[in-house]
Amino acid sequence: MSEYSFKHKDCLVRVDRSTQVLSVEVNERETRLRPRDCNRLAFRSNDDREAIPLFSFHSGPFEPSPAPTIAEEVSGKTVPLMAFAYKAKRFNDWLYGTLDRSAFLSDSPVLGRQALVSQLRVALDDTADRVDLKAMLCAAEYLGGGSDLSHLPGELRLRVKQALKEFEAKPLVSRLIGFYSASESLRRLFQHDRMLQQPLDRNAAQVLRDAITQAQLLNAYRWHLQANEQLTGQFAVPSVMAELSPENQYALFPPSRAPETDLIKQLYGNVPIPDDFCLLDEVIVRVKGGRLDLSPAEDDGWYLRELYALEALLNPSCDRLRVGPKYGETLEQLFKGLMSLARETHIKQLESPYAGGAMLNLAIMPHLRLEPVPRYYERMAHNYGWLLDGLVELWGESALTREVRNRNDQPTCILDSLTEMQALFSGAAALCREDLGFPTPPMDAVGCMSRGQARKFLSNWKHEPDLLADCRMMVPLYHDVMRKKTRVSVVCGVLSQKISVQFEQKPQVQITDATGRSVNTDITWLSSAYTSVYPVQFECDVSDVLDRETFQNLADQHPVPSELKAVLKAL
């Protein structure tokens, strides 16, 4: 409901938010130096320390070192959107890894990718026009944990070793990124699948197509293609089962498209990339200008649907909310950081392109339990509902109710976990709209459960294991052929800003005494404040893409973003 009440002296105050409109802006004067940065400056007194304002990406005299975890950076009662977003990020990594490993190891409704590739290799004969394809499949099997190469015939063994050498020479393709470096089984499936994303000409595609059909692997192969498109997105190149023509390239397991990679290929596919070009800034300009549409079509996958949820950060104003320009910049920074984190989750399947003070009688202030971007929470809830329906249809309910270990090593199942995440974001959207004063629709049992899930998170979010995890990472965007460098998006931690919320249009207030009679009194209308947390993100060109652990160790040694960026560029 849009009404709330509280006691003031002996009276009951009812505030009806159905008429209110809030304005939100960054309060730079209330943002101060973090304790962890104090040892970098010499202070004459505590007064000096309190007088130094925090540098932000807007302006300021001091560049702070970001916190590696969200829990370290937060204060106040209003829950920042970043807390919901990073909980979702950690869940998404776990869910994607669990499903990917199940599909790889035959723990799925069809033959697993590992076994499918093994049977496809056996189905290929040893004729000269097939030896390179067989070498590619043998190399993938080896990377995926298969037996050593000693049992292979001499010529084939040499071809496999050459294929492995060429694969390792392409770090943008072969280097482990994200959660895939967390375990040996994930490392193996990452490199196995990346090997099989390499482009093939029409003749090679025809050979594999015929072998898949003759070995009766077509149903399983098509299932895996559908699973990859569902979990990430439409393919960047056709599979070997597509209509074949001499002009196109194909792949056995094609990588998926992404708006940012389509954009860099469109702008600088065959021309030099300007020194000052920033891909994610260009994405924001085009989305806000209506030249890049992130809304998903029916056949688009999970990744674009995640970006569509994030697009709400670029257009946050609504009927009951006005966003100031500096808070809008904070949300843009949040968009870039969360887009980078989403890309990291899907990185194995995504295409890696090459391109160029007095006492008050009665005070009322805005009341927000969570950061006010309702469309983001609504779209995230819709995404999890869409994903749940699609997985049930493709995998079957029995596969999704099988016991697995979650990211905190507790027993769960995918069906229950997805339902909980959908409820969390659905409940968050309802509470957010309630705080803003939107009409509250009638609640059914599902709505009550969703609100309960959200309230549970709000009451204990600072102690969530997901928010104690290190969020720092780098993820490749594209490879610059001219410079022989890889452009990466880096999240080097999180920072907070004080956000001021004011009434642009006031709510209606009714005051009654203990007998129920109306009471007239002066009301002082105040602003309220909360802390917004955003990822500190930048782009830079590197010679080597680092895995999570290596990058985080480097970031520990260089906690200031500008210093870290200089070190990365020099590697």
Side-chain angles (χ1 to χ4, degrees):
M1 57 189 299
S2 64
E3 181 181 288
Y4 70 96
S5 61
F6 60 92
K7 284 283 190 177
H8 176 70
K9 298 181 179 179
D10 294 327
C11 296
L12 178 65
V13 181
R14 292 188 178 91
V15 181
D16 182 359
R17 292 176 289 204
S18 63
T19 60
Q20 77 176 20
V21 177
L22 303 182
S23 63
V24 186
E25 184 55 299
V26 171
N27 187 343
E28 291 182 312
R29 291 177 299 179
E30 293 299 321
T31 307
R32 297 296 174 196
L33 188 67
R34 275 78 171 169
R36 63 178 176 273
D37 288 312
C38 291
N39 59 356
R40 293 169 49 209
L41 293 175
F43 298 102
R44 293 187 300 272
S45 69
N46 286 334
D47 290 339
D48 286 347
R49 179 177 298 175
E50 291 299 319
I52 296 180
L54 169 72
F55 169 90
S56 72
F57 57 88
H58 305 300
S59 62
F62 182 77
E63 183 180 9
S65 54
T69 69
I70 297 164
E72 187 178 333
E73 186 64 18
V74 295
S75 62
K77 294 182 178 179
T78 301
V79 182
L81 184 146
M82 181 69 184
F84 286 92
Y86 198 63
K87 180 178 177 64
K89 158 67 176 172
R90 293 270 295 168
F91 173 81
N92 295 349
D93 281 0
W94 168 80
L95 177 63
Y96 201 113
T98 300
L99 291 172
D100 209 10
R101 187 158 38 198
S102 295
F104 182 70
L105 298 173
S106 298
D107 193 13
S108 59
V110 299
L111 187 69
R113 285 195 306 274
Q114 187 179 41
L116 187 152
V117 169
S118 179
Q119 292 188 25
L120 180 58
R121 187 254 307 160
V122 172
L124 290 176
D125 58 37
D126 294 326
T127 55
D129 64 336
R130 302 189 177 192
V131 67
D132 283 338
L133 289 176
K134 200 158 190 175
M136 178 188 74
L137 298 178
C138 288
E141 284 188 90
Y142 175 78
L143 292 169
S147 58
D148 61 40
L149 308 179
S150 59
H151 70 286
L152 297 177
E155 182 183 357
L156 178 58
R157 184 169 63 253
L158 291 176
R159 296 286 187 100
V160 173
K161 288 182 176 180
Q162 182 63 29
L164 291 171
K165 183 178 179 180
E166 292 173 357
F167 179 73
E168 292 295 335
K170 300 175 182 177
L172 189 63
V173 175
S174 61
R175 182 61 56 85
L176 295 171
I177 304 294
F179 63 84
Y180 285 98
S181 63
S183 72
E184 184 66 16
S185 61
L186 289 171
R187 182 194 68 78
R188 288 173 176 174
L189 79 87
F190 180 95
Q191 294 193 317
H192 174 279
D193 290 0
R194 277 292 182 90
M195 170 63 79
L196 300 177
Q197 289 179 359
Q198 62 183 280
L200 305 169
D201 61 21
R202 181 189 183 280
N203 292 334
Q206 184 67 61
V207 170
L208 289 174
R209 179 181 188 145
D210 292 344
I212 288 170
T213 304
Q214 292 167 10
Q216 299 182 343
L217 299 172
L218 184 56
N219 287 339
Y221 177 64
R222 283 177 170 165
W223 186 94
H224 284 287
L225 295 180
Q226 185 180 350
N228 286 344
E229 285 198 303
Q230 181 187 67
L231 281 180
T232 297
Q234 298 180 34
F235 294 142
V237 297
S239 77
V240 300
M241 300 309 299
E243 183 177 347
L244 303 181
S245 66
E247 296 80 16
N248 291 337
Q249 288 188 318
Y250 305 87
L252 181 59
F253 287 104
S256 293
R257 297 173 54 191
E260 65 274 20
T261 51
D262 285 350
L263 180 59
I264 189 65
K265 291 193 296 183
Q266 172 192 336
L267 295 177
Y268 301 110
N270 297 303
V271 297
I273 302 171
D275 290 338
D276 59 351
F277 176 73
C278 182
L279 178 58
L280 299 192
D281 284 343
E282 185 65 24
V283 168
I284 289 174
V285 168
R286 288 173 177 260
V287 170
K288 296 181 73 171
R291 292 180 291 159
L292 179 59
D293 185 8
L294 298 182
S295 56
E298 184 177 349
D299 55 350
D300 280 316
W302 186 16
Y303 180 64
L304 186 59
R305 294 169 191 273
E306 287 190 79
L307 299 191
Y308 181 60
L310 296 180
E311 186 263 348
L313 303 176
L314 304 180
N315 184 27
S317 294
C318 59
D319 290 344
R320 302 192 181 279
L321 186 68
R322 305 288 182 265
V323 171
K326 289 187 177 180
Y327 182 52
E329 291 178 26
T330 298
L331 293 178
E332 288 182 8
Q333 184 74 3
L334 186 59
F335 173 88
K336 291 193 293 183
L338 295 182
M339 183 175 179
S340 301
L341 291 168
R343 182 174 174 84
E344 189 205 35
T345 298
H346 296 266
I347 191 61
K348 189 212 73 178
Q349 180 57 30
L350 284 174
E351 180 185 18
S352 299
Y354 289 78
M359 290 296 293
L360 304 174
N361 288 334
L362 174 60
I364 295 178
M365 63 184 68
H367 173 63
L368 297 176
R369 288 168 287 186
L370 63 168
E371 200 157 353
V373 190
R375 280 197 293 265
Y376 168 75
Y377 306 114
E378 289 165 356
R379 291 176 182 181
M380 286 294 289
H382 182 270
N383 288 349
Y384 284 125
W386 171 87
L387 186 59
L388 179 58
D389 291 342
L391 291 177
V392 169
E393 181 178 351
L394 187 61
W395 289 69
E397 189 167 325
S398 60
L400 302 182
T401 54
R402 189 180 301 119
E403 183 176 300
V404 295
R405 311 297 291 188
N406 68 11
R407 54 207 181 279
N408 300 315
D409 202 32
Q410 300 297 315
T412 186
C413 72
I414 290 174
L415 188 70
D416 290 348
S417 298
L418 264 174
T419 301
E420 289 173 2
M421 290 299 289
Q422 181 186 15
L424 171 63
F425 280 91
S426 179
L431 296 182
C432 185
R433 291 179 65 85
E434 186 177 288
D435 287 352
L436 292 174
F438 284 97
T440 303
M443 273 193 296
D444 55 13
V446 174
C448 290
M449 186 269 290
S450 297
R451 285 167 176 260
Q453 191 78 8
R455 289 193 183 99
K456 179 182 177 182
F457 179 73
L458 296 184
S459 68
N460 197 47
W461 66 276
K462 292 183 182 179
H463 304 289
E464 276 276 329
D466 290 331
L467 304 188
L468 299 173
D470 196 327
C471 66
R472 297 172 298 175
M473 60 99 227
M474 67 160 58
V475 62
L477 296 173
Y478 59 86
H479 185 75
D480 190 327
V481 176
M482 297 288 291
R483 294 183 176 88
K484 297 182 180 179
K485 297 276 190 175
T486 299
R487 174 60 63 93
V488 295
S489 178
V490 173
V491 173
C492 60
V494 295
L495 286 174
S496 59
Q497 284 189 315
K498 292 295 184 181
I499 307 298
S500 177
V501 187
Q502 299 176 326
F503 288 116
E504 188 169 296
Q505 185 173 313
K506 299 177 179 65
Q508 296 176 343
V509 178
Q510 181 185 17
I511 308 170
T512 56
D513 62 18
T515 66
R517 292 181 299 179
S518 295
V519 175
N520 292 322
T521 188
D522 292 334
I523 299 175
T524 300
W525 300 96
L526 300 178
S527 63
S528 60
Y530 66 87
T531 302
S532 178
V533 178
Y534 61 91
V536 179
Q537 179 272 349
F538 59 81
E539 292 183 22
C540 69
D541 296 327
V542 299
S543 299
D544 194 15
V545 180
L546 306 180
D547 61 37
R548 272 188 189 177
E549 183 178 359
T550 305
F551 171 73
Q552 288 170 5
N553 289 335
L554 186 66
D556 286 340
Q557 300 171 37
H558 304 280
V560 179
S562 59
E563 296 176 4
L564 177 62
K565 185 174 184 178
V567 170
L568 289 173
K569 292 171 72 173
L571 289 179

